[in-house]
């Protein structure tokens, strides 16, 4: 749902789907059903979510970005 930080992590239609807090199962069920019926779409969403995690939210990506900051600071000392 679009609560907390979830909407910052999930890109609607690309890495998952976002719903409103007040949405019920009647809103969720058709989307779930469409993914069950379309394994290629499910794989596309899953692969995009994994790629986003690896590029932006993993330990390796954090270390890479932190290293860039350290390099900039080291060059300015």
């Amino acid at each position: 749902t679009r609560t907390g930080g979830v909407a910052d992590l999930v890109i609607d239609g690309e890495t998952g789907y976002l719903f409103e807090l007040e949405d019920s199962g009647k809103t969720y069920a058709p989307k779930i059903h469409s993914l069950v019926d379309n394994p290629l779409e499910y794989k596309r969403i899953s692969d995009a979510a994994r790629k986003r995690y690896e590029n932006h939210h993993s330990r390796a990506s954090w270390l890479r970005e932190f290293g860039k900051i350290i390099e900039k600071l080291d060059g300015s000392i």
Side-chain angles (χ1 to χ4, degrees), residues 11-58:
I11 301 170
D12 194 33
E14 184 180 322
T15 61
Y17 296 98
L18 293 169
F19 297 93
E20 300 302 327
L21 184 59
E22 59 274 2
D23 286 343
S24 70
K26 289 181 180 184
T27 304
Y28 283 78
K31 183 51 68 183
I32 294 168
H33 189 265
S34 73
L35 291 172
V36 169
D37 280 352
N38 189 345
L40 292 177
E41 178 66 4
Y42 177 78
K43 180 163 178 27
R44 181 189 72 78
I45 294 283
S46 296
D47 290 348
R50 182 65 192 192
K51 184 176 180 180
R52 182 159 176 79
Y53 162 75
E54 289 171 355
N55 291 335
H56 300 286
H57 304 291
S58 67

